[in-house]
Amino acid sequence: MSVISTRKEGDVLVVISNNPPVNALGHAVRAGLADALTQAANDSAIKAVVIRCDGRTFFAGADITEFGRPMQGPSLPEVVDQIEASKKPVVAAIHGTALGGGLEVALGCHYRVAVPSAKLGLPEVKLGILPGAGGTQRLPRVVGVEAALPIIVTGDPIGAKQAQSIGLLDKLVGEPSLEADAIAFAREISTRGEHPIASQRTDKIAEAVRDPEVFDRFRREHARKLKGFEAPEACIQAVKAAVDLPFAEGIKKERELFLKLVTGDQSRALRHVFFAERAAAKIDDIPADTPVIEIKKVGVLGAGTMGGGITMNFLSAGIPVTIVEREQAALDRGVAIIKKNYEATAKKGRLTEEQVAKAVSLLTPSLSYDDLADCDLVIEAVFENMDIKKDVFKKLDGIVKQGAILASNTSYLNVDEIASVTKRPQAVIGLHFFSPANVMRLLEIVRGAKTAPDVLKTSMELSKKIGKIAVVSGVCPGFIGNRMLSQRQREANKLILEGAKPWDVDRALVSFGFPMGPFQMSDLAGLDIGWSKETSKGETIRDVLCERDRRGQKTGKGFYDYDENRRPSPSPEVEQVIADFIAKSGKQQRQVSDQEILERLLYPMVNEGAKILDEKMAQRASDIDIVWLNGYGWPTYTGGPMFWADTVGLEKVASALEGYGLEVASSLKAKAGAGQKFN
Ligand code: 3HC
Ligand code: NAI
C-alpha cells in the first residue's frame, strides 16, 4: 500500500500520509504528495485539498536517514513549491508535531489548522543544518522576523496557541474532529477569490526592513548558548536574506547555506547525536515483553547535595517521595534547599506557584527508615563509603517491601558488593545521577551482575518520566563517565608538573568547547573532597594547596585567585608551588603546546572508552558519547569522544597514545590498524 492515500469528501480531496512512526518525508511520501496534488489539479470536481497524517503525528521532518545519500526526486523544496502553486487552496491539518520539513510543507499550504496540543517547529539547527525547503524564507514572511528568529535559530518548537497568536496557524480545531473540521474549513475558504501565498507576502517582513538591527540584537542575546555551533549563524544569514532579497534569490541563499552545512563535520556529528540518544534507550538483551514495576512512591536516603536534587526529579514528575536523614538538622537543611530551589524556579517564571505547592506537598521528610517500607523504589545517596553503604543496604533489605527496587547513587563503588549484603541482589541497581541532580540530563544506570531485567527496564522507563537520558553501564570503578574522567584528571595533573600552567590546560579545553577545564572544575567542586588535614602528607599539589587553605572558590582561592565577584585570575602562589614541586623532582619545565594539551587530555579518554567497550561495560560506542555530552559538557557539535576520535582518525589517536607511552586498548589498536571507526 502506498504511504500516501487520497479520499474525496465531496469537493474536498483529503490527502493522508501513513508512514510510521513519525511520517518522515522520505522519497515515497514526497512522490505520493506530488501525485496527490496532480490528481487534485486534474479533477474539476475538487475545489480544495486537505493534507493530514495518520498515526501519532503530522510530518515530523525530512527523513534524516536519507541525508548524506543521493536524493531521489521529487525533492522536498519541489513538493512544497508544487503545493504553494496549486490553484486549489491547500489546508494543512496538524496534530502531534509539525517539525522541520513538516512545517515547511505546512508553510507551502495556503492555510494551516491544528489541534490545541500540536507543536510546531524548525529543529533543523539541532541537526547542524537549516530548514532547507523554504522554511527560512517563508516563516519570516508569515510571522515576521522577530518571531521567526527564535524558532529557526534555537530550534525549539512552539505550542499551537502561540502559533496562532503569531499568525502561523489560521485556526485551532477540535482534537477528535481534526479531519472533519479541516474539511469544513477548506470548504469555507474555497469560495474566496484569493488565497495567501507565503512566498509572495512582504507585509510581515516590513518591520525588519525598517529595523535591520534585529539580527545583531538576536546574536548578542543568544551568543553564549550558540557559541561554537556553525548552523545558528547560517540560520540568521538565511533569515536576513528573506528580508534583503526577493524570494527566489533568498531560496538560492538558503540552498547554498544548507548544502554547505549538511556536508560538514558538525552536522554529521549532530545527526550522530540524534540517533545515539535514541539508541541509548535500547538494551539489547532485555526481551520486549519484560514487565515494568509500577513506581508509585519513591524513597530517598540522605538529604545532602545529591539526595535533594534526586528528590526534586520525582516530585516534579508528580511522584511522592519520602526522604530520610539520620539527624533532624540535616533533614531540615535538605528540605529547605529543595523548597528554595523550587521557589527560585518559580521566580524565573518556569513554574507556577501552584506547581511548586503541588511538588512540595508530595514530599514527606522523616528520620525513620521504617517510613521507606512501602516505597516501590528507594535511592540511597549517603556518604561515599562502602561500609556505610553496606550498613544502609542491610537495613533497607530488612525494611523495604519485596518487589521494590533498591538503588545506589554511588559515583565509584562496586554495586555488586553493595548488593551482596542483601538477600535480594536481583533488586539492586545503580542509579547514578549527576550534580545538580535536578538539572543535569544524564542518568547512568549501573547494571549489577544479578540485576533483574524488570528492575533494569523499569529504571530505563522511569528515567524518561523524570526527563533524563539514561545510559546503561556495567560495574567498574567510576562506571563510564567518571572512569574516563579519571584519565583526563591524571594527565592534567601530570601536565602541570611538566610545565603547562593550570590556566593553559583549562584554556585549551575551553577553546575545544568544554564549559570549563579540569582545574576550574576542581576549584568549583572544592579541592578538599576526600582530603583531610589530619592525614595530609603534602605529597601532591592538591595537598599543599589545601594545607594553605586554597580549597577552591568557597575559600576565595584554589588553583586560581578569586575576586569578590568570583572572577578568577592566575595565582602566582600556585605557580610557585608547582615550580617547587618540579624543582624537587629534578626535572626541567618545558613549553607545552595547546595541541599537546588536547591530545594528552582527550586521547587517553578515548582509549579508556575503548577499554570500556572491550570489557563490555558499555553497550555501544555511541552510549559513551551520550554520557560525555550530557554529563560532562563535552561539546555537542563534535559528537562526543568516540565520534570525535573517528573524525580525528583512530590511527592518529593510537599512534599518539603510543608516543605518550600509554598502553593502547585492543579494540582501538585493531580498528586503527584496519582503518575502521567506532561508529
Ligand atoms: N527521520 C528519520 N527518522 C526519524 C525522524 C526523522 N525526521 N524523526 C524520528 N525518527 C525515528 C527515530 O529515530 C525513532 O526511530 P527508532 O524507533 O528506530 O529509534 C523513531 O522515529 C521514533 O522517534 P522518537 O523515539 O524520537 O519518538 P518520540 O515520540 O519521542 O519523538 C519526535 C517524536 C518529536 C518527532 C522526534 O522523533 C523528533 O524530534 N524527530 C526529529 C524531528 C526533526 O529533527 N525534524 C527535522 C528533520 S530535518 C529536516 O526536516 C530538513 C528539512 O528542512 C529539509
Ligand atoms: P552529602 O554529604 O552532601 O550528603 C550525604 C547525606 O547523607 C548527608 O546529609 C548525611 O547526613 C546523610 N547520611 C549519611 N549517612 C546516612 C545514613 N546512614 N542514613 C541517612 N542519611 C545519611 O553527599 P552527596 O554529595 O550528596 O553524595 C551522596 C552520594 O552521591 C555519594 O555516594 C556520592 O558519591 C554520590 N554522588 C555525588 C555527586 C556529587 O557531585 N556530589 C555526584 C554523583 C554521585
Side-chain angles (χ1 to χ4, degrees):
M1 206 186 96
S2 166
V3 290
I4 297 288
S5 59
T6 56
R7 195 180 79 238
K8 281 203 242 181
E9 286 286 335
D11 52 2
V12 175
L13 184 72
V14 185
V15 180
I16 305 155
S17 170
N18 184 6
N19 185 30
V22 299
N23 283 304
L25 288 148
H27 170 252
V29 177
R30 297 193 304 271
L33 283 174
D35 289 347
L37 284 156
T38 306
Q39 181 194 341
N42 294 339
D43 186 340
S44 59
I46 293 298
K47 297 279 181 290
V49 180
V50 166
I51 299 179
R52 72 159 185 87
C53 292
D54 269 344
R56 65 194 212 225
T57 179
F58 193 74
F59 307 109
D63 187 338
I64 305 169
T65 59
E66 285 185 353
F67 287 11
R69 293 195 260 143
M71 189 65 81
Q72 236 184 311
S75 70
L76 193 56
E78 284 164 353
V79 174
V80 175
D81 286 349
Q82 190 185 349
I83 294 172
E84 196 180 56
S86 165
K87 294 274 182 298
K88 301 171 182 179
V90 184
V91 178
I94 300 168
H95 75 293
T97 44
L99 297 178
L103 183 55
E104 292 175 299
V105 164
L107 283 163
C109 295
H110 307 93
Y111 301 92
R112 291 160 291 278
V113 302
V115 297
S117 62
K119 287 200 155 58
L120 299 89
L122 292 170
E124 284 89 342
V125 71
K126 297 187 184 186
L127 296 167
I129 53 174
L130 49 69
T136 66
Q137 305 304 299
R138 286 192 180 89
L139 186 67
R141 285 180 161 80
V142 171
V143 304
V145 168
E146 194 98 43
L149 274 175
I151 296 174
I152 295 173
V153 184
T154 71
D156 294 331
I158 60 170
K161 255 208 195 111
Q162 191 185 345
Q164 188 186 26
S165 75
I166 60 174
L168 180 52
L169 288 176
D170 297 286
K171 193 175 180 185
L172 293 185
V173 297
E175 295 275 349
S177 53
L178 172 63
E179 186 188 276
D181 290 357
I183 291 169
F185 179 82
R187 205 160 276 141
E188 181 192 320
I189 53 91
S190 69
T191 58
R192 294 182 191 168
E194 266 184 55
H195 305 289
I197 295 173
S199 66
Q200 291 177 6
R201 285 179 66 176
T202 53
D203 52 319
K204 286 288 183 91
I205 46 178
E207 177 62 30
V209 173
R210 282 193 300 274
D211 175 26
E213 256 293 294
V214 62
F215 297 101
D216 278 340
R217 266 201 315 274
F218 187 88
R219 282 189 183 99
R220 275 197 303 275
E221 276 165 30
H222 293 78
R224 242 190 70 198
K225 207 174 149 199
L226 306 178
K227 196 177 143 223
F229 291 87
E230 288 164 1
E233 177 54 31
C235 287
I236 294 174
Q237 286 177 22
V239 177
K240 191 159 185 316
V243 177
D244 296 345
L245 304 171
F247 181 79
E249 283 177 47
I251 284 285
K252 262 194 216 147
K253 179 83 185 167
E254 177 190 273
R255 182 98 312 238
E256 181 192 306
L257 291 164
F258 179 87
L259 288 176
K260 192 160 157 228
L261 290 173
V262 80
T263 50
D265 285 344
Q266 288 203 356
S267 165
R268 247 192 301 276
L270 291 165
R271 266 168 4 232
H272 159 73
V273 175
F274 178 86
F275 289 111
E277 283 192 4
R278 282 150 185 86
K282 300 185 171 90
I283 309 174
D284 297 335
D285 61 340
I286 299 273
D289 59 356
T290 305
V292 174
I293 303 164
E294 203 185 343
I295 306 293
K296 287 188 297 231
K297 185 178 170 191
V298 172
V300 173
L301 255 186
T305 311
M306 294 307 289
I310 292 169
T311 298
M312 289 178 72
N313 287 304
F314 295 100
L315 299 180
S316 302
I319 302 173
V321 179
T322 299
I323 187 163
V324 173
E325 255 293 339
R326 44 180 192 157
E327 51 191 35
Q328 190 67 47
L331 186 62
D332 292 345
R333 207 179 320 122
V335 170
I337 293 173
I338 291 174
K339 287 186 181 157
K340 203 180 95 195
N341 284 342
Y342 272 124
E343 274 149 23
T345 315
K347 247 190 213 132
K348 286 184 201 143
R350 282 195 246 125
L351 281 179
T352 64
E353 288 300 335
E354 295 83 68
Q355 285 169 315
V356 171
K358 166 90 198 302
V360 173
S361 75
L362 294 171
L363 179 64
T364 310
S366 164
L367 291 175
S368 167
Y369 277 53
D370 292 337
D371 291 334
L372 300 173
D374 64 341
C375 289
D376 305 293
L377 161 70
V378 177
I379 304 172
E380 162 281 307
V382 305
F383 301 135
E384 183 79 345
N385 172 300
M386 184 53 98
D387 291 336
I388 300 180
K389 302 257 190 219
K390 279 184 172 170
D391 186 48
V392 163
F393 271 78
K394 245 186 240 161
K395 273 199 208 150
L396 289 176
D397 192 26
I399 290 170
V400 182
K401 71 178 181 191
Q402 292 300 320
I405 299 176
L406 304 181
S408 173
N409 181 49
T410 179
S411 318
Y412 286 91
L413 299 175
N414 187 319
V415 173
D416 290 332
E417 197 179 333
I418 295 174
S420 73
V421 302
T422 71
K423 291 191 201 71
R424 41 174 143 165
Q426 76 283 357
V428 177
I429 195 164
L431 292 182
H432 183 213
F433 290 81
F434 286 71
S435 182
N438 54 319
V439 178
M440 296 294 288
R441 254 186 103 208
L442 180 65
L443 178 66
E444 268 184 334
I445 297 192
V446 186
R447 178 182 193 174
K450 294 188 178 159
T451 304
D454 61 339
V455 169
L456 186 57
K457 186 168 174 190
T458 303
S459 302
M460 290 304 279
E461 305 233 323
L462 192 61
S463 69
K464 259 189 236 153
K465 219 178 255 174
I466 59 173
K468 301 289 179 206
I469 175 154
V471 172
V472 179
S473 168
V475 177
C476 57
F479 317 120
I480 296 171
N482 283 342
R483 177 169 164 181
M484 287 166 70
L485 180 66
S486 303
Q487 294 290 318
R488 191 181 87 177
Q489 197 57 47
R490 186 199 61 222
E491 291 301 315
N493 292 339
K494 278 195 342 209
L495 273 172
I496 60 171
L497 288 174
E498 291 172 28
K501 305 283 180 281
W503 25 97
D504 295 334
V505 174
D506 287 343
R507 193 199 51 243
L509 272 199
V510 169
S511 63
F512 180 76
F514 277 96
M516 63 178 88
F519 298 104
Q520 291 162 320
M521 208 166 115
S522 297
D523 273 5
L524 185 66
L527 299 186
D528 54 354
I529 294 182
W531 175 88
S532 87
K533 203 171 192 162
E534 294 71 37
T535 54
S536 180
K537 295 198 192 100
E539 279 173 353
T540 63
I541 290 172
R542 181 183 82 149
D543 282 352
V544 174
L545 296 186
C546 285
E547 284 166 16
R548 295 183 181 207
D549 218 24
R550 300 193 66 100
R551 299 188 194 188
Q553 286 196 21
K554 61 186 172 189
T555 56
K557 49 194 184 170
F559 281 99
Y560 295 81
D561 291 330
Y562 294 88
D563 68 11
E564 57 284 2
N565 297 317
R566 291 209 169 190
R567 264 194 306 258
S569 55
S571 157
E573 185 185 355
V574 171
E575 243 185 286
Q576 192 55 52
V577 170
I578 296 171
D580 292 346
F581 263 88
I582 296 175
K584 225 165 50 190
S585 72
K587 287 193 185 135
Q588 288 287 314
Q589 292 203 38
R590 64 182 178 92
Q591 281 284 349
V592 186
S593 69
D594 281 11
Q595 180 61 27
E596 180 180 342
I597 292 174
L598 282 182
E599 291 183 8
R600 286 275 299 277
L601 294 186
L602 304 184
Y603 290 178
M605 293 175 61
V606 172
N607 196 34
E608 198 64 24
K611 287 183 189 168
I612 286 170
L613 287 172
D614 292 347
E615 295 167 24
K616 302 209 173 354
M617 292 294 136
Q619 293 194 90
R620 43 186 95 80
S622 64
D623 281 10
I624 297 177
D625 291 332
I626 292 300
V627 165
W628 269 81
L629 294 171
N630 293 285
Y632 299 85
W634 187 292
T636 318
Y637 48 78
T638 68
M642 308 311 274
F643 186 86
W644 172 74
D646 283 344
T647 333
V648 172
L650 298 188
E651 210 187 320
K652 189 169 163 201
V653 174
S655 73
L657 283 164
E658 269 164 10
Y660 294 128
L662 290 164
E663 187 204 336
V664 182
S666 56
S667 62
L668 175 51
K669 204 183 260 174
K671 283 188 192 300
Q676 291 171 342
K677 296 177 179 226
F678 285 116
N679 285 287

